[in-house]
Amino acid sequence: AEYMGDAQMLFGLTTHKRFYSSTSLQLTQKVADNLVRLCGNAPTSLLLCVSGGSDSMALLQLLARVKEQALKLKAELPEGQDRNQQDGVGGLSLNLEVMHFNHKLRDESVYEAKVVQRAVEQHGMKFHLREASQSDEWVQKPQGIQTHSREWRHQNCLEWAINTQKQQPHAQVMIATAHHHGDQLETILMKLLRGVHLTSIQGMEEKHQITLIPRTWSLSLNPYRPIYFIRPLLSITKPELVDFLRSINQEWCEDSSNRTPKYKRNRIRNELVPLLNDLCGGSAALSSRIEGIVTQSTLFREWIDVEVNTWIKQHISPSQTNNKVMVPVKEWMLLPMIVRCQVLYSIIENQMRQMGCTETQLVTFNAIHRVVLKVCEERRVSVGHERQHPLAHGFYLSEKKGLLSVI
């Protein structure tokens, strides 16, 4: 990667005077309200993932200010009043730590780590540096490096979370990332380009519980101590974050790889989104239309989940949940086609996940639909025959004695 030696390219800003504008205070309050909703007033140990870019540096500075605000409100309480029973920002109880990942893929990565560490130390937070090794298998694989590096970061975050749970048995443990409104739009567009179920045209969740860990990670979750990823900046735009950093004279680093058209997300951000903004009549119009689609998708998801779960409870024995699931064909054939497909899709996806399949190995809805059409057509010709229909990656849908199952 080309090293960005020019200070104006490497840093978002280095010369503005430090001041706290009304806009900065409003943004801090907005993030504080988000944290109150996400964390509540329980003691929370929160890991901030900070790359050194504008988004994550804003996350660091905003959450540091929210914590300061919460401590100040607690200190101002009258003597004798329980500081742990406050509502709102004053009820927040945050222990903030920061993790930075040096992938060692760009020349400027060493300096980025120093920029982050300097900002972290100014707030007295604990700093965790994770550096990739040339012996790491994913570093040696240029194909899919974004996916592999994301898994590496995810694994390190979960290791921290599990260790923190052991050290702080009374605190809830969370991991915060700096995804913002623009990232949400890009994620939805990525899904549409890749192909997505109509019920899944949504972006990232503001709060997401970790329920599954790949077996190869040698980590185990405590079922009684959930770990959450949170995204407190999802409702905030990139320009708001940049303006905030400028208002406090906080430098940040620009990742040169964000400009290369080699990665699909970069092309969406730098080429597709500006084009769509122009065609729709502005970013607000584009956001409004995407939000409308997301709302319809969410409502459709709520309806079909009720239909599918109700049918499964009525026709499939609970004892089959963790073993082979047998679907009675006669009753299944009475369902509307979309529910018929979704019942199989839900059962097959769950079984494949339990067997350790990754996201890329899961069967697609289109594949399920093709198999369902084939089953329906063959049953019109003859009933009672044993059949097997290929799904994906060695999985088959078997029809035998009036029952469907995955083998």
Side-chain angles (χ1 to χ4, degrees), residues 5 15 17 83-84 143 161 186 202 208 233 235 247 366 388:
T15 58
K17 293 183 178 179
R83 295 181 177 180
N84 296 320
Q143 296 297 325
E186 293 167 14
Q202 296 99 28
H208 171 68
L233 307 184
S235 60
S247 75
N366 285 342
Q388 287 187 3

Side-chain angles (χ1 to χ4, degrees), residues 211-222:
T211 56
L212 291 173
I213 293 181
R215 297 173 183 175
T216 55
W217 289 7
S218 300
L219 297 173
S220 58
L221 293 171
N222 184 337

Side-chain angles (χ1 to χ4, degrees), residues 100-104 110 113 129-133 136 152 156:
H100 174 79
F101 301 94
N102 182 354
H103 301 81
K104 294 189 174 180
V110 174
L129 176 62
R130 297 291 184 268
E131 295 183 306
S133 169
D136 290 335
W152 173 66
N156 276 276

